[in-house]
Amino acid sequence: MAFFTPCWSAILVSLAVVGCAGSADPNPARIDAAAWHSASSSLDLTLALTFSPTMLAALDHGIPLTLDFRIDPAHGPRQHQRVSLRFLPLLRRYELDSGGNPAQSFASRLQLLSALDRLRLPVAAAQPVAGRVSFRLDTQALPAPLRLPALFDRDWHLQSAATAWTALP
Amino acid sequence: MSAPPLRRLAKTGRQRWWWVGLPIAASLLLLLAALWLAADAESATSQIGSAYVGLFVIAAIAVLVLVGAVIDEAWRLGQRWRAGRPGSRLNLRLAVLIALLAIPPTLLVSGFAMRFVEVGIDSWFRADVEASQAAAEALGRDVLRSFERRARDRSNALAKRAALAAGGDLQAGLDALVDGIDEPLYLTVYDDNGVLLALAFNSSSIVLPKAPSEAERLQVRQAGQLGKSERIQDTLAWRVLDRVPGVGLLQAIFPLPVDLTPRLEILERTAVDYAQLRFQRRALKLSFVLILGLVSLLALLGALYTALMASARLIQPISDLATATGDIAAGRYDQHLPVSSQDELGFLTTSFNRMASALHTADARERASRAEIELHRTHLQAVLERLSAGVLSFDGERILTANPAAGALLDLAADALIDCPIAAAVAQFPRAAALFAGLSAHAARAEPQWREEIILAGEPKRVLLLRAVRLPGTALARYVAVFDDAEVLAHAQREAAWAEVARRLAHEIKNPLTPIQLAAERLRHKYLGKMAAADAEVLDRATHTIVAQVDALKNIVNAFADYARPPLGERRPLDLALLCNEVLDLYEHSGQCLIERELGSAPVSILGNRDRLRQALVNLLTNAIEAGQAGTLPRIALRLTEHTDAVELAVRDHGLGLPAGFDDRWFEPYTTTKTKGTGLGLAMVRKIAEEHGGSVHGENADGGGARFVLVLPKR
């Protein structure tokens, strides 16, 4: 058993290294503004995000990219809203599915990314006066072979800081 | 003594199960993870979901556990090998052999499998496949573009006709337009603000479509037309917006033909999948290599662990046998090995257990026999040491044993005789030379037994009666000789004779004495007053004489009765100094003598019979008083000296001293120089001394007089 003490230490150190690798700095992604739109019970977000070349290449190869928005109302349970970006090679069009409404279709990637600048997310909450919202690229939604590389490759890291919102009158 | 194997196994059993169970669980976990990952590896829509990375982590931990188990097992084997434990070398060889048999094929198969995976994935992206895929995509896009052009043209024509119908009934005009078209169509007319003015359709596959957005309306106003493909209610359709002058805009929706839609969807799905695979090419290879690596590691580590464990398990019975054999060689016969199998090793272990059990039983018997022999030897030794007769054992050449009495009778140290050649003893001990020469001569003639009387040379004169016999059942001729002092034997015979005489005197004479005395006193009482003075005087003297002589006879008979009394019973602790003082006090107060005491102040404790010792002391004192010269008050000195094991009581008188030729015979009955007395005084003293394991002797004291010394053991 005495021999296993260094063994277990090595295992713990390895796990710590893996853990540190997984928590590398995210790519530039932020929420410039967030406001509650009571008429449509949705959250209007102004985003500033830059997808990495790897992400854009994956998108152009038909791999859907999913942004997971984490919404923490001041009162009430946490909610997740997913926004999916995908490319249809046959139609040569890009789709943006932000949930609730029919997917938006764009002729170019630039239009798609421009549409992400201002995003309206439906929120199933009764007049949340305030709260915090953040988003990240959901690497678990990627195809299986990409998930392990995505864990260690910084090109697949996209995560914003949490931004507070207040309800508009 | 080392712990028996069964106990060692029981001690480590729980721990071993833990160390066996953990690697097996890790192997199963690793196998399941690899299978799961392999099934999900190239799937775009993973079934594992968020557990994918977790599975890799679990697999990595399982690998680490297996590596740890292998290293631990190898470490233990190395320790056993370095410690030179039985079976460890065989264990090592077997483990290496199994590992050599298992590892190369595993590495070979794994290497080829990885290569095949790489080649296999590359084969998905062959140039002809890529070209076919590109051609199919181009074909699909051409079909869609053709449909789009047609939809735009038709929409433009319909917008012009709608403008013409706007002057009249717009809804009726639209209905007429739709009725004239034989393909699915959905027309809606909006004003510039996006308000629905009229709609018409000839297919139920499309429910009310969404209104054009403000941006779309703006684009139409600027460009005149806007067209885009959209999925509307699971149907791929072309939505075209055209400006209708004076009215607003026309939105025409052209769903793709029913038979074309699924084909295009398949084409699109295939295109997406192929594009994704092309992008994941490296990641796919990495995934498969990782999974294959896990499986290879599982096989490799499993082979190593199995080699180590299997060899250890195979060797364990042999190792136990070797250890137990060593224990038996060291004389530890209580070995029992567990029989864990019914094969040849099991048979060997069973046979070993039978042998060990038989050895253990034989050893126990032999130990019991040895203990019994030792007990007998001890008893014999004790008997020989306390025997008054001398005992020698010897073969034809040398003396083997001699008891202390032999040394005492021959006036030499018994230890000096042991292992002494008989010829050397003849020269070395001249006083007993006749005895040793006789032993040698009789043994040389191989006589089975003999007896003879041997007179020791020199003083004091001693005659020995010797009986010897050849011991039966010995390969070498061995003899035992027993000899005794003839004088001692004669003394014992005389003692026995005197005891018999005393017993008969007490029985035959004492009984009539009392009637004689009573009869004499009755004669005196009846006739003394009736007779004449002269006769009366005669009667008086005669009866006095009779009574006095009867008293004297009674005293003699009582003395004999005391002498013939059986040996004393239980001895108890007593203070001899106190007893002496008690007796001396009586004599001192009677005024018969002057007493000088040298008894000391401390108690002198011995084991003895108080009455018999008092009798001995009285006899010695009486003897000393009677030895006094007439006309003077006898002066008697009594000294008590305490030694380590014995006590010496000396009674000295100041008489004429011992007669010439005084020796041990003076302590026999009726050996006396006195004219009166029983002649039993000193005999009684010696008898009492011997009853206590002591002795008595007499000597002339310095300065005149005699001194009798009574020596008594303390215990």
Side-chain angles (χ1 to χ4, degrees):
Chain A
M1 194 64 191
F3 172 76
F4 265 84
T5 306
C7 272
W8 287 119
S9 303
I11 292 170
L12 292 175
V13 168
S14 303
L15 291 177
V17 168
V18 169
C20 290
S23 62
D25 291 336
N27 285 342
R30 64 176 188 273
I31 301 172
D32 285 342
W36 175 252
H37 192 260
S38 55
S40 58
S41 264
S42 57
L43 202 57
D44 286 339
L45 302 174
T46 303
L47 307 179
L49 60 90
T50 305
F51 288 99
S52 70
T54 305
M55 292 179 199
L56 295 176
L59 183 63
D60 288 344
H61 280 82
I63 292 169
L65 300 179
T66 302
L67 297 175
D68 178 30
F69 285 82
R70 193 171 74 177
I71 302 163
D72 291 308
H75 304 288
R78 170 179 289 175
Q79 297 176 34
H80 285 271
Q81 277 295 340
R82 298 165 76 83
V83 173
S84 293
L85 292 73
R86 63 186 297 219
F87 174 64
L88 302 174
L90 201 60
L91 297 172
R92 292 201 175 277
R93 294 192 69 83
Y94 292 87
E95 276 189 0
L96 174 63
D97 184 0
S98 56
N101 297 320
Q104 294 174 263
S105 179
F106 303 95
S108 68
R109 194 173 71 196
L110 190 60
Q111 290 173 349
L112 170 75
L113 298 179
S114 299
L116 279 174
D117 289 347
R118 295 184 62 80
L119 202 61
R120 173 166 289 179
L121 291 178
V123 178
Q127 295 295 328
V129 176
R132 296 175 74 81
V133 60
S134 63
F135 70 92
R136 66 178 180 86
L137 178 71
D138 186 5
T139 53
Q140 296 304 316
L142 293 170
L146 291 177
R147 275 181 222 153
L148 198 63
L151 195 65
F152 304 104
D153 192 348
R154 293 171 62 89
D155 278 356
W156 285 103
H157 292 169
L158 188 70
Q159 184 166 4
S160 77
T163 301
W165 87 77
T166 51
L168 294 172
Chain B
M1 182 172 173
S2 64
L6 197 60
R7 208 183 310 159
R8 286 202 299 270
L9 287 177
K11 186 181 174 185
T12 58
R14 194 174 297 174
Q15 191 184 356
R16 297 303 304 162
W17 273 114
W18 169 254
W19 284 114
V20 172
L22 191 65
I24 289 175
S27 300
L28 288 176
L29 206 62
L30 187 56
L31 184 63
L32 283 175
L35 286 173
W36 212 341
L37 288 169
D40 207 57
E42 49 100 18
S43 168
T45 55
S46 173
Q47 302 297 312
I48 304 173
S50 58
Y52 187 84
V53 176
L55 276 175
F56 268 106
V57 173
I58 288 169
I61 291 172
V63 166
L64 284 175
V65 169
L66 269 175
V67 168
V70 167
I71 293 174
D72 181 60
E73 205 57 42
W75 182 276
R76 285 166 191 269
L77 177 56
Q79 278 188 324
R80 288 198 296 271
W81 182 70
R82 280 193 294 275
R85 293 271 296 277
S88 59
R89 284 179 175 76
L90 195 56
N91 191 352
L92 185 63
R93 281 185 208 154
L94 198 57
V96 169
L97 185 66
I98 297 174
L100 283 176
L101 286 174
I103 292 171
T106 307
L107 291 175
L108 205 63
V109 170
S110 301
F112 273 96
M114 285 184 188
R115 180 64 190 147
F116 284 144
V117 164
E118 200 165 331
V119 171
I121 291 176
D122 284 342
S123 70
W124 297 351
F125 307 101
R126 290 204 315 262
D128 53 343
V129 175
E130 292 213 2
S132 300
Q133 183 64 32
E137 286 181 37
L139 194 61
R141 272 195 293 272
D142 286 346
V143 170
L144 285 174
R145 267 200 294 271
S146 164
F147 187 81
E148 181 186 5
R149 274 197 302 273
R150 189 161 157 265
R152 282 177 181 269
D153 292 347
R154 284 202 168 196
S155 177
N156 189 267
L158 287 170
K160 287 175 182 171
R161 290 172 68 183
L164 293 174
D169 187 350
L170 182 59
Q171 182 61 51
L174 277 184
D175 289 339
L177 284 175
V178 169
D179 289 343
I181 295 174
D182 57 355
E183 61 182 322
L185 182 62
Y186 203 110
L187 294 178
T188 45
V189 177
Y190 300 90
D191 65 8
D192 287 336
N193 295 320
V195 177
L196 180 63
L197 298 177
L199 66 89
F201 54 88
N202 61 3
S203 170
S204 60
S205 62
I206 298 174
V207 192
L208 183 62
K210 67 174 184 180
S213 64
E214 189 178 346
E216 288 171 334
R217 290 198 305 272
L218 184 61
Q219 283 183 30
V220 172
R221 277 199 294 271
Q222 289 173 348
Q225 191 181 50
L226 175 66
K228 56 172 70 172
S229 60
E230 282 187 358
R231 194 172 297 276
I232 302 172
Q233 280 105 42
D234 296 330
T235 302
L236 190 60
W238 224 266
R239 188 159 69 98
V240 184
L241 296 172
D242 269 288
R243 193 161 188 281
V244 181
V247 178
L249 57 87
L250 171 73
Q251 176 176 267
I253 294 175
F254 300 91
L256 282 173
V258 176
D259 58 338
L260 195 59
T261 302
R263 292 174 189 171
L264 285 172
E265 283 179 346
I266 289 171
L267 187 59
E268 186 182 58
R269 200 160 50 241
T270 308
V272 168
D273 287 349
Y274 192 76
Q276 287 186 353
L277 282 175
R278 203 163 49 206
F279 181 78
Q280 298 174 56
R281 189 168 174 171
R282 282 182 57 201
L284 265 173
K285 286 182 184 177
L286 180 65
S287 287
F288 276 114
V289 166
L290 273 176
I291 293 165
L292 209 54
L294 288 177
V295 175
S296 300
L297 271 176
L298 171 63
L300 197 65
L301 295 171
L304 278 172
Y305 188 70
T306 306
L308 289 165
M309 290 298 290
S311 63
R313 195 170 178 75
L314 278 173
I315 295 303
Q316 187 61 46
I318 297 173
S319 175
D320 288 346
L321 273 171
T323 305
T325 307
D327 287 342
I328 281 182
R332 297 184 287 271
Y333 301 115
D334 56 334
Q335 305 295 322
H336 184 82
L337 297 176
V339 182
S340 54
S341 63
Q342 298 301 319
D343 53 10
E344 288 77 3
L345 279 175
F347 175 75
L348 188 61
T349 307
T350 306
S351 300
F352 173 85
N353 284 340
R354 279 198 204 122
M355 181 196 74
S357 176
L359 281 173
H360 185 55
T361 307
D363 180 58
R365 282 183 190 155
E366 197 265 341
R367 281 172 191 270
S369 298
R370 258 189 300 178
E372 197 172 351
I373 289 169
E374 182 62 23
L375 186 65
H376 287 165
R377 197 193 65 76
T378 309
H379 287 172
L380 186 60
Q381 184 77 18
V383 169
L384 287 174
E385 282 177 0
R386 285 158 184 74
L387 208 58
S388 60
V391 179
L392 293 175
S393 68
F394 60 98
D395 56 18
E397 296 181 350
R398 61 182 58 236
I399 296 165
L400 302 175
T401 62
N403 72 337
L409 287 171
L410 298 177
D411 294 328
L412 49 84
D415 291 343
L417 289 176
I418 295 172
D419 212 29
C420 178
I422 296 175
V426 172
Q428 191 174 348
F429 307 109
R431 181 165 159 76
L435 184 140
F436 296 126
L439 295 180
S440 180
H442 286 287
R445 291 195 294 271
E447 292 180 27
Q449 60 181 10
W450 68 91
R451 60 186 301 164
E452 62 183 336
E453 194 172 279
I454 294 165
I455 301 170
L456 297 186
E459 289 295 332
K461 182 183 176 187
R462 185 170 296 157
V463 179
L464 300 178
L465 288 177
L466 181 144
R467 292 169 299 280
V469 64
R470 178 174 175 169
L471 291 174
T474 53
L476 295 172
R478 288 194 173 180
Y479 301 86
V480 171
V482 181
F483 52 93
D484 218 330
D485 188 343
E487 181 61 23
V488 172
L489 287 176
H491 168 69
Q493 287 166 356
R494 283 197 298 276
E495 285 281 321
W498 272 112
E500 180 61 21
V501 168
R503 190 182 65 77
R504 282 177 182 272
L505 277 176
H507 185 259
E508 300 295 337
I509 297 175
K510 189 177 181 181
N511 288 346
L513 287 180
T514 302
I516 290 170
Q517 189 176 24
L518 288 173
E521 286 178 352
R522 190 176 176 190
L523 282 174
R524 176 186 169 86
H525 180 69
K526 191 170 181 178
Y527 296 106
L528 190 64
K530 297 176 183 176
M531 296 176 74
D535 295 335
E537 186 183 350
V538 171
L539 180 63
D540 183 40
R541 281 204 304 271
T543 54
H544 269 295
T545 302
I546 291 170
V547 170
Q549 292 304 313
V550 166
D551 280 339
L553 276 173
K554 274 186 177 178
N555 288 334
I556 293 169
V557 169
N558 285 335
F560 273 96
D562 286 341
Y563 187 77
R565 188 183 294 176
L568 61 87
E570 187 181 2
R571 289 191 290 168
R572 295 175 184 281
L574 60 89
D575 182 359
L576 187 59
L578 180 63
L579 180 65
C580 292
N581 278 321
E582 286 173 4
V583 175
L584 291 178
D585 286 346
L586 289 175
Y587 278 87
E588 203 168 41
H589 293 152
S590 70
Q592 299 176 51
C593 56
L594 290 172
I595 303 291
E596 295 173 6
R597 309 185 195 207
E598 293 181 52
L599 301 175
S601 57
V604 178
S605 180
I606 63 165
L607 275 180
N609 186 297
R610 179 179 291 274
D611 293 337
R612 300 288 277 172
L613 288 176
R614 178 184 282 114
Q615 176 70 55
L617 187 56
V618 166
N619 286 6
L620 287 175
L621 288 172
T622 303
N623 195 55
I625 290 169
E626 289 172 353
Q629 294 177 10
T632 60
L633 193 60
R635 190 156 55 90
I636 297 169
L638 196 143
R639 175 186 288 178
L640 189 58
T641 310
E642 189 172 3
H643 300 289
T644 307
D645 297 323
V647 176
E648 198 175 86
L649 179 63
V651 180
R652 179 194 173 177
D653 60 49
H654 290 80
L656 296 175
L658 296 175
F662 182 88
D663 58 15
D664 274 358
R665 284 176 299 175
W666 286 81
F667 288 95
E668 292 179 3
Y670 270 91
T671 307
T672 180
T673 56
K674 299 170 188 170
T675 54
K676 58 179 182 179
T678 61
L680 290 173
L682 288 178
M684 277 293 296
V685 172
R686 186 166 81 167
K687 190 165 187 287
I688 291 168
E690 288 177 349
E691 284 173 1
H692 282 80
S695 63
V696 63
H697 64 273
E699 58 193 9
N700 283 318
D702 294 338
R707 180 168 60 194
F708 286 88
V709 180
L710 179 62
V711 180
L712 296 170
K714 284 184 173 178
R715 291 284 178 266

